[in-house]
Amino acid sequence: MNKIYLDNAATTPLSEEVIDAMVSVLKNNYGNPSSTHSFGQEAKILIENVRREIADYLKVSPAEIIFTSCGTESNNMIIKSCVDHLGVERIITSPLEHKCVAETVLDMKKRRGVEVAYLRPDKKGDVSLEQLENLLKSSDKKTLVTLMHANNEIGNLLDIKKVAQLCKENNALFHSDTVQSMAHMDLDFSDIPVDFASCSAHKFHGPKGSGFAFIRKASGLKGIITGGPQERSLRAGTENVCGIVGLGKALEIYLKNMDSYANHIKEIKQYTIDQLSQKIEGVKFNGRSAEMDNSLYTVLSVLLPFKDPMIGLKLDMKGIAISQGSACSSGAAKPSMVMMMVVDEEEMDHTTPLRVSFSHLTTKEEIDALVDALVEIAKSFHIEKANIEHR
Ligand code: PLP
C-alpha cells in the first residue's frame, strides 16, 4: 500500500539535502561552539552562517535571532520573559492561538496575576482590529499582544503589519507566532514593526528540535533558561549545531523554491476544493481556508456533512495520514477551540472537521485517493452526490 501524507501542518518530511547537511555536521563538526580551539570555531561558524541567512530573509540584524529547540520554546520564552523581565501586566490574545501560546498565557495569569483579554473572533475566524484598538486604548497597564500570523487549523492570515503598527502606536509589545508562515511567505521585519516572532524548522522540511525566536534589538528581553552565555545569554545550553544547520539548509531550499512550491500547492489546494465540492454533497470549508488569497496556502479545513469521529482512523487504515484538527488536539474526542469558534454548536453534532495540509510533494493522484476514500465513507452515511460518476 502506497502511504499518503496529508498532514504537513503537523510536520513535514526532511529533504535528502537537509539530511546530508546534518549527517555531515554529525560526522565532521562535533566541536563545542563555545570552545576556542579550531573544532569549536568551525562549529561556531556554521551556526553564525545560518543566523546571517535567517537575518537576511527577515531583513533584521543577526543579533536578533536566538536559536531554540522549537516553536513552543520560542513562544514560551518570549511570553514568560515579557512578564518576568519587561513588566507586562496585561496580555491581549485570541482563543485561536496554538496551545503553546494559550497555555503559557494562562500560566502567566495563574502564577503571575497577569490580566488577560481575549479578542472575539467572528464566524470566519478573523479577529477584530477595532476591538484590539479599543482594548489597547482602554488601559495604561503595560501590555503584550500575542496573535498568530497564520492559523494552523484554518489557515486564516492576520494582517501582521497593521497589528504591529497598532501596537506601536499604543505603546504595546507585539509577539506573533509565525511558526506556520515562516519560510512559506516573504516576511520583512524591517517593514513590519513586530517585536517578537517564532519559528520551527520541522514545518518547512527541516528537523524537529530546531527553531528560533526573533527578538527585536533593545527590547530588553531575557532568557528563561539560565546557565552559560550561549545565544547572547538569552538561551543557555550547548547549541544544537546539526539541528541549526538542518534548519538553515531547509530554509535555503524553501526560499529558493518558494514561488514554484507555492504555485504548485495552490493548484493542489484548489483541485482539492473543486473535487470535494463536486463529489460530496454539502461539504463546507472552515474559516478562510478555501479563500486562496486570504489563507495560508498549505492548509485546507474541511467540514464533512456527516458525523464520524473514527474518520482519522478509517483514513489511516487506507494509508492516508490526515488530521482532524491540529496535531496536538487530533487525539481528543472534543472539538478544538478553533473549531468551536468557526462551526456552530448545533452543526458540530452532525459534521466532521478534517484538516488537509499540503506540501510541494503532494500530487493530484494523492488528492484523488483521498477524495475517493471520503466519497466511500460518505456513502456509508447515505450521502451521495446525484448524477456524479465516481471514478
Ligand atoms: N505554533 C503553531 C502555530 C504551530 O502550528 C506549532 C506546531 O504545531 C507550534 C507553535 C509549536 O511548534 P513546535 O512543534 O516546534 O513546538
Side-chain angles (χ1 to χ4, degrees):
M1 178 168 66
N2 266 347
K3 292 234 251 175
I4 296 174
Y5 186 75
L6 293 169
D7 200 12
N8 291 281
T11 196
T12 49
L14 273 77
S15 68
E16 283 299 323
E17 274 173 283
V18 171
I19 295 169
D20 290 348
M22 293 176 71
V23 168
S24 167
V25 172
L26 289 171
K27 282 185 178 163
N28 306 311
N29 304 100
Y30 53 86
N32 184 326
S34 296
S35 300
T36 49
H37 51 61
S38 65
F39 289 78
Q41 289 313 293
E42 279 163 21
K44 179 96 185 141
I45 287 167
L46 291 175
I47 294 176
E48 294 315 314
N49 286 344
V50 177
R51 203 189 306 279
R52 209 166 314 116
E53 177 196 343
I54 299 165
D56 288 347
Y57 161 50
L58 296 175
K59 299 198 174 56
V60 299
S61 148
E64 296 174 308
I65 304 302
I66 301 299
F67 290 112
T68 64
S69 68
C70 59
T72 298
E73 184 192 327
S74 305
N75 289 335
N76 263 263
M77 168 194 188
I78 292 162
I79 296 168
K80 288 179 175 164
S81 178
C82 276
V83 174
D84 284 351
H85 306 124
L86 302 186
V88 162
E89 299 169 284
R90 180 175 74 140
I91 297 178
I92 301 175
T93 185
S94 92
L96 304 168
E97 301 303 304
H98 188 272
K99 260 192 179 308
C100 69
V101 168
E103 291 296 320
T104 307
V105 168
L106 279 181
D107 184 45
M108 291 297 93
K109 180 180 175 182
K110 247 189 268 164
R111 291 194 301 120
R112 299 279 188 267
V114 171
E115 183 187 318
V116 181
Y118 290 93
L119 300 177
R120 261 185 326 274
D122 60 20
K123 275 290 161 205
K124 277 285 177 193
D126 290 331
V127 292
S128 152
L129 299 196
E130 199 183 321
Q131 193 195 0
L132 173 62
E133 188 167 10
N134 289 340
L135 274 169
L136 284 169
K137 292 193 188 309
S138 71
S139 165
D140 288 337
K141 283 187 175 169
K142 175 104 180 172
T143 299
L144 168 71
V145 173
T146 173
L147 293 172
M148 71 206 308
H149 184 205
N151 187 275
N152 51 303
E153 289 188 58
I154 51 177
N156 283 35
L157 291 170
L158 179 80
D159 189 338
I160 187 177
K161 187 171 171 183
K162 226 180 205 154
V163 172
Q165 284 166 342
L166 265 181
C167 291
K168 215 172 168 60
E169 282 160 26
N170 289 281
N171 249 335
L173 293 165
F174 177 40
H175 160 238
S176 188
D177 175 349
T178 46
V179 163
Q180 289 289 341
S181 56
M182 199 65 87
H184 293 97
M185 296 170 70
D186 287 321
L187 281 173
D188 178 352
F189 288 172
S190 69
D191 186 45
I192 304 169
V194 62
D195 294 292
F196 313 109
S198 48
C199 170
S200 181
H202 74 97
K203 304 293 186 184
F204 50 93
H205 307 276
K208 290 161 194 62
S210 179
F212 67 82
F214 162 73
I215 295 171
R216 183 78 67 189
K217 218 189 287 179
S219 67
L221 201 94
K222 293 185 182 153
I224 53 170
I225 299 177
T226 45
Q230 293 91 350
E231 298 299 291
R232 296 175 176 78
S233 295
L234 279 166
R235 205 275 187 174
T238 302
E239 298 87 338
N240 173 8
V241 186
C242 138
I244 292 169
V245 167
L247 184 159
K249 183 50 90 180
L251 183 67
E252 178 195 319
I253 295 171
Y254 212 102
L255 294 184
K256 201 162 63 190
N257 297 291
M258 191 199 283
D259 288 347
S260 68
Y261 285 1
N263 287 339
H264 171 78
I265 297 170
K266 283 177 187 172
E267 200 184 315
I268 291 282
K269 181 169 168 173
Q270 190 58 57
Y271 182 71
T272 311
I273 295 167
D274 294 344
Q275 290 296 303
L276 286 173
S277 304
Q278 279 170 30
K279 296 185 177 168
I280 300 180
E281 185 84 56
V283 73
K284 288 186 186 170
F285 303 98
N286 302 310
R288 299 218 173 264
S289 72
E291 297 171 26
M292 300 304 280
D293 293 333
N294 296 321
S295 65
L296 185 68
Y297 55 87
T298 50
V299 174
L300 179 65
S301 178
V302 182
L303 195 66
L304 294 165
F306 50 86
K307 183 90 186 158
D308 189 355
M310 302 304 284
I311 199 152
L313 191 66
K314 286 181 187 170
L315 289 171
D316 198 29
M317 282 164 66
K318 292 173 189 283
I320 301 172
I322 211 158
S323 164
Q324 279 179 259
S326 72
C328 310
S329 56
S330 57
K334 235 175 69 178
S336 71
M337 184 60 94
V338 177
M339 282 306 133
M340 290 201 280
M341 293 290 142
V342 296
V343 182
D344 287 332
E345 205 177 331
E346 167 271 322
E347 194 170 25
M348 200 83 86
D349 291 341
H350 52 87
T351 55
T352 308
L354 208 63
R355 181 184 69 181
V356 191
S357 49
F358 317 95
S359 83
H360 62 284
L361 302 168
T362 310
T363 64
K364 283 191 177 163
E365 290 69 34
E366 290 178 324
I367 299 303
D368 288 340
L370 168 73
V371 173
D372 283 352
L374 290 176
V375 165
E376 202 180 307
I377 295 168
K379 274 187 191 167
S380 69
F381 288 89
H382 308 294
I383 289 166
E384 287 183 59
K385 190 115 182 176
N387 303 322
I388 294 285
E389 249 184 48
H390 301 306
R391 282 170 308 102

Short mmCIF file of all heavy atoms in Angstrom, two decimals, residues 172-207:
data_model
loop_
_atom_site.label_atom_id
_atom_site.label_comp_id
_atom_site.label_asym_id
_atom_site.label_seq_id
_atom_site.Cartn_x
_atom_site.Cartn_y
_atom_site.Cartn_z
N ALA A 172 2.24 49.20 23.02
CA ALA A 172 2.17 47.80 23.48
C ALA A 172 3.22 46.98 22.74
O ALA A 172 3.61 47.31 21.62
CB ALA A 172 0.78 47.23 23.20
N LEU A 173 3.67 45.90 23.40
CA LEU A 173 4.59 44.98 22.73
C LEU A 173 3.77 44.02 21.87
O LEU A 173 2.64 43.70 22.21
CB LEU A 173 5.38 44.19 23.78
CG LEU A 173 6.37 45.00 24.62
CD1 LEU A 173 6.81 44.18 25.84
CD2 LEU A 173 7.58 45.40 23.77
N PHE A 174 4.35 43.57 20.77
CA PHE A 174 3.63 42.65 19.89
C PHE A 174 4.46 41.41 19.58
O PHE A 174 5.57 41.50 19.05
CB PHE A 174 3.24 43.35 18.58
CG PHE A 174 2.55 42.45 17.57
CD1 PHE A 174 1.61 41.50 17.98
CD2 PHE A 174 2.84 42.55 16.22
CE1 PHE A 174 0.99 40.66 17.05
CE2 PHE A 174 2.21 41.73 15.28
CZ PHE A 174 1.29 40.78 15.70
N HIS A 175 3.91 40.25 19.94
CA HIS A 175 4.51 38.95 19.60
C HIS A 175 3.60 38.24 18.62
O HIS A 175 2.39 38.16 18.85
CB HIS A 175 4.67 38.11 20.88
CG HIS A 175 4.82 36.63 20.62
ND1 HIS A 175 3.96 35.69 21.14
CD2 HIS A 175 5.72 35.95 19.87
CE1 HIS A 175 4.33 34.48 20.74
NE2 HIS A 175 5.39 34.61 19.97
N SER A 176 4.18 37.73 17.54
CA SER A 176 3.37 36.92 16.63
C SER A 176 3.97 35.53 16.50
O SER A 176 5.18 35.38 16.22
CB SER A 176 3.29 37.59 15.25
OG SER A 176 2.36 36.88 14.47
N ASP A 177 3.13 34.51 16.71
CA ASP A 177 3.54 33.13 16.48
C ASP A 177 3.53 32.93 14.97
O ASP A 177 2.48 32.82 14.34
CB ASP A 177 2.52 32.20 17.18
CG ASP A 177 2.78 30.73 16.91
OD1 ASP A 177 3.60 30.41 16.03
OD2 ASP A 177 2.13 29.89 17.56
N THR A 178 4.74 32.91 14.40
CA THR A 178 4.88 32.81 12.93
C THR A 178 5.32 31.41 12.51
O THR A 178 5.87 31.23 11.43
CB THR A 178 5.89 33.85 12.43
OG1 THR A 178 7.05 33.81 13.28
CG2 THR A 178 5.33 35.26 12.43
N VAL A 179 5.05 30.42 13.38
CA VAL A 179 5.54 29.06 13.12
C VAL A 179 5.01 28.50 11.79
O VAL A 179 5.75 27.84 11.05
CB VAL A 179 5.17 28.13 14.31
CG1 VAL A 179 5.29 26.66 13.93
CG2 VAL A 179 6.07 28.44 15.50
N GLN A 180 3.75 28.78 11.44
CA GLN A 180 3.20 28.19 10.21
C GLN A 180 3.56 29.00 8.96
O GLN A 180 3.53 28.47 7.86
CB GLN A 180 1.67 28.04 10.31
CG GLN A 180 1.20 26.96 11.27
CD GLN A 180 1.47 25.54 10.76
OE1 GLN A 180 1.69 25.29 9.59
NE2 GLN A 180 1.44 24.58 11.68
N SER A 181 3.87 30.28 9.13
CA SER A 181 4.12 31.09 7.94
C SER A 181 5.61 31.25 7.62
O SER A 181 5.99 31.50 6.48
CB SER A 181 3.49 32.48 8.11
OG SER A 181 3.96 33.11 9.28
N MET A 182 6.46 31.11 8.62
CA MET A 182 7.90 31.31 8.44
C MET A 182 8.41 30.39 7.33
O MET A 182 8.07 29.20 7.31
CB MET A 182 8.60 31.00 9.77
CG MET A 182 9.97 31.52 9.95
SD MET A 182 10.19 33.31 10.02
CE MET A 182 9.95 33.77 11.71
N ALA A 183 9.17 30.93 6.42
CA ALA A 183 9.74 30.26 5.24
C ALA A 183 8.73 30.09 4.11
O ALA A 183 9.10 30.08 2.95
CB ALA A 183 10.36 28.89 5.58
N HIS A 184 7.43 29.98 4.45
CA HIS A 184 6.42 29.78 3.40
C HIS A 184 6.05 31.09 2.71
O HIS A 184 5.47 31.09 1.64
CB HIS A 184 5.15 29.16 4.00
CG HIS A 184 5.36 27.77 4.48
ND1 HIS A 184 5.62 27.46 5.81
CD2 HIS A 184 5.38 26.59 3.84
CE1 HIS A 184 5.78 26.15 5.93
NE2 HIS A 184 5.64 25.60 4.75
N MET A 185 6.33 32.20 3.39
CA MET A 185 5.93 33.52 2.85
C MET A 185 7.08 34.50 3.03
O MET A 185 7.94 34.30 3.88
CB MET A 185 4.74 34.06 3.67
CG MET A 185 3.50 33.22 3.57
SD MET A 185 2.25 33.74 4.76
CE MET A 185 1.79 35.31 4.08
N ASP A 186 7.05 35.59 2.25
CA ASP A 186 8.01 36.66 2.48
C ASP A 186 7.64 37.37 3.78
O ASP A 186 6.47 37.70 3.99
CB ASP A 186 7.95 37.67 1.33
CG ASP A 186 8.59 37.09 0.07
OD1 ASP A 186 9.62 36.40 0.20
OD2 ASP A 186 8.06 37.33 -1.02
N LEU A 187 8.61 37.57 4.63
CA LEU A 187 8.37 38.29 5.88
C LEU A 187 9.48 39.32 6.03
O LEU A 187 10.65 38.96 6.16
CB LEU A 187 8.38 37.34 7.08
CG LEU A 187 7.14 36.49 7.34
CD1 LEU A 187 7.39 35.48 8.45
CD2 LEU A 187 5.95 37.36 7.71
N ASP A 188 9.12 40.60 5.97
CA ASP A 188 10.11 41.66 6.04
C ASP A 188 9.93 42.43 7.35
O ASP A 188 9.08 43.31 7.45
CB ASP A 188 9.92 42.58 4.82
CG ASP A 188 10.89 43.75 4.83
OD1 ASP A 188 11.61 43.93 5.84
OD2 ASP A 188 10.93 44.49 3.84
N PHE A 189 10.73 42.05 8.34
CA PHE A 189 10.58 42.68 9.66
C PHE A 189 11.23 44.06 9.73
O PHE A 189 11.18 44.70 10.78
CB PHE A 189 11.12 41.75 10.76
CG PHE A 189 10.24 40.54 11.02
CD1 PHE A 189 10.67 39.52 11.87
CD2 PHE A 189 8.98 40.42 10.43
CE1 PHE A 189 9.86 38.40 12.13
CE2 PHE A 189 8.17 39.31 10.67
CZ PHE A 189 8.62 38.30 11.52
N SER A 190 11.83 44.52 8.62
CA SER A 190 12.30 45.92 8.62
C SER A 190 11.11 46.82 8.32
O SER A 190 11.11 48.01 8.58
CB SER A 190 13.41 46.13 7.59
OG SER A 190 12.89 46.03 6.28
N ASP A 191 10.06 46.21 7.76
CA ASP A 191 8.85 46.95 7.40
C ASP A 191 7.69 46.67 8.38
O ASP A 191 6.79 47.47 8.54
CB ASP A 191 8.46 46.53 5.98
CG ASP A 191 7.31 47.33 5.44
OD1 ASP A 191 7.36 48.56 5.61
OD2 ASP A 191 6.38 46.75 4.85
N ILE A 192 7.72 45.49 8.99
CA ILE A 192 6.67 45.09 9.94
C ILE A 192 7.24 45.28 11.35
O ILE A 192 8.13 44.53 11.75
CB ILE A 192 6.28 43.60 9.74
CG1 ILE A 192 5.84 43.34 8.29
CG2 ILE A 192 5.20 43.17 10.73
CD1 ILE A 192 5.71 41.86 7.95
N PRO A 193 6.72 46.24 12.12
CA PRO A 193 7.36 46.51 13.42
C PRO A 193 6.95 45.54 14.54
O PRO A 193 6.57 45.96 15.63
CB PRO A 193 6.93 47.95 13.72
CG PRO A 193 5.65 48.14 12.98
CD PRO A 193 5.65 47.22 11.80
N VAL A 194 7.03 44.25 14.25
CA VAL A 194 6.75 43.22 15.27
C VAL A 194 7.93 43.18 16.25
O VAL A 194 9.07 43.39 15.84
CB VAL A 194 6.50 41.85 14.56
CG1 VAL A 194 7.72 41.39 13.80
CG2 VAL A 194 6.07 40.77 15.53
N ASP A 195 7.66 42.96 17.52
CA ASP A 195 8.76 42.91 18.50
C ASP A 195 9.36 41.51 18.61
O ASP A 195 10.57 41.36 18.79
CB ASP A 195 8.25 43.34 19.88
CG ASP A 195 7.84 44.79 19.89
OD1 ASP A 195 8.72 45.65 19.77
OD2 ASP A 195 6.62 45.07 19.98
N PHE A 196 8.47 40.50 18.53
CA PHE A 196 8.93 39.12 18.74
C PHE A 196 8.20 38.17 17.79
O PHE A 196 7.00 38.36 17.52
CB PHE A 196 8.64 38.66 20.18
CG PHE A 196 9.04 39.65 21.23
CD1 PHE A 196 8.07 40.35 21.96
CD2 PHE A 196 10.38 39.90 21.50
CE1 PHE A 196 8.43 41.28 22.94
CE2 PHE A 196 10.75 40.83 22.48
CZ PHE A 196 9.77 41.52 23.20
N ALA A 197 8.91 37.11 17.34
CA ALA A 197 8.27 36.11 16.47
C ALA A 197 8.95 34.77 16.70
O ALA A 197 10.00 34.70 17.35
CB ALA A 197 8.38 36.55 15.01
N SER A 198 8.35 33.72 16.16
CA SER A 198 8.89 32.38 16.43
C SER A 198 8.94 31.53 15.17
O SER A 198 8.20 31.78 14.21
CB SER A 198 8.03 31.68 17.49
OG SER A 198 6.65 31.81 17.15
N CYS A 199 9.81 30.52 15.20
CA CYS A 199 9.99 29.66 14.02
C CYS A 199 10.31 28.23 14.47
O CYS A 199 10.94 28.03 15.50
CB CYS A 199 11.15 30.20 13.19
SG CYS A 199 11.69 29.09 11.87
N SER A 200 9.87 27.28 13.66
CA SER A 200 10.16 25.87 13.93
C SER A 200 10.54 25.19 12.62
O SER A 200 9.75 25.18 11.67
CB SER A 200 8.92 25.20 14.53
OG SER A 200 9.18 23.87 14.83
N ALA A 201 11.75 24.62 12.57
CA ALA A 201 12.29 24.09 11.30
C ALA A 201 11.46 22.96 10.72
O ALA A 201 11.39 22.80 9.49
CB ALA A 201 13.72 23.61 11.52
N HIS A 202 10.80 22.17 11.58
CA HIS A 202 10.12 20.97 11.04
C HIS A 202 8.85 21.30 10.27
O HIS A 202 8.23 20.40 9.69
CB HIS A 202 9.89 19.93 12.14
CG HIS A 202 8.81 20.23 13.12
ND1 HIS A 202 7.54 19.72 12.99
CD2 HIS A 202 8.80 20.95 14.27
CE1 HIS A 202 6.81 20.13 14.01
NE2 HIS A 202 7.55 20.87 14.80
N LYS A 203 8.46 22.58 10.24
CA LYS A 203 7.28 22.96 9.45
C LYS A 203 7.66 23.26 8.00
O LYS A 203 6.79 23.47 7.18
CB LYS A 203 6.61 24.20 10.07
CG LYS A 203 6.22 24.04 11.52
CD LYS A 203 5.11 23.03 11.75
CE LYS A 203 4.68 23.02 13.21
NZ LYS A 203 3.69 22.00 13.51
N PHE A 204 8.97 23.32 7.69
CA PHE A 204 9.36 23.56 6.29
C PHE A 204 10.49 22.61 5.87
O PHE A 204 11.48 23.00 5.30
CB PHE A 204 9.70 25.04 6.02
CG PHE A 204 10.68 25.67 6.99
CD1 PHE A 204 12.04 25.68 6.72
CD2 PHE A 204 10.23 26.27 8.16
CE1 PHE A 204 12.95 26.27 7.59
CE2 PHE A 204 11.13 26.86 9.04
CZ PHE A 204 12.49 26.85 8.76
N HIS A 205 10.30 21.32 6.22
CA HIS A 205 11.18 20.25 5.76
C HIS A 205 12.55 20.29 6.42
O HIS A 205 13.53 19.77 5.88
CB HIS A 205 11.29 20.24 4.22
CG HIS A 205 9.94 20.21 3.56
ND1 HIS A 205 9.25 19.03 3.36
CD2 HIS A 205 9.12 21.20 3.14
CE1 HIS A 205 8.08 19.32 2.81
NE2 HIS A 205 7.97 20.62 2.68
N GLY A 206 12.61 20.90 7.60
CA GLY A 206 13.82 20.85 8.42
C GLY A 206 13.60 19.86 9.56
O GLY A 206 12.54 19.21 9.64
N PRO A 207 14.58 19.74 10.45
CA PRO A 207 14.47 18.75 11.54
C PRO A 207 13.61 19.22 12.71
O PRO A 207 13.47 20.42 12.95
CB PRO A 207 15.93 18.62 12.00
CG PRO A 207 16.53 19.95 11.69
CD PRO A 207 15.86 20.46 10.45
#
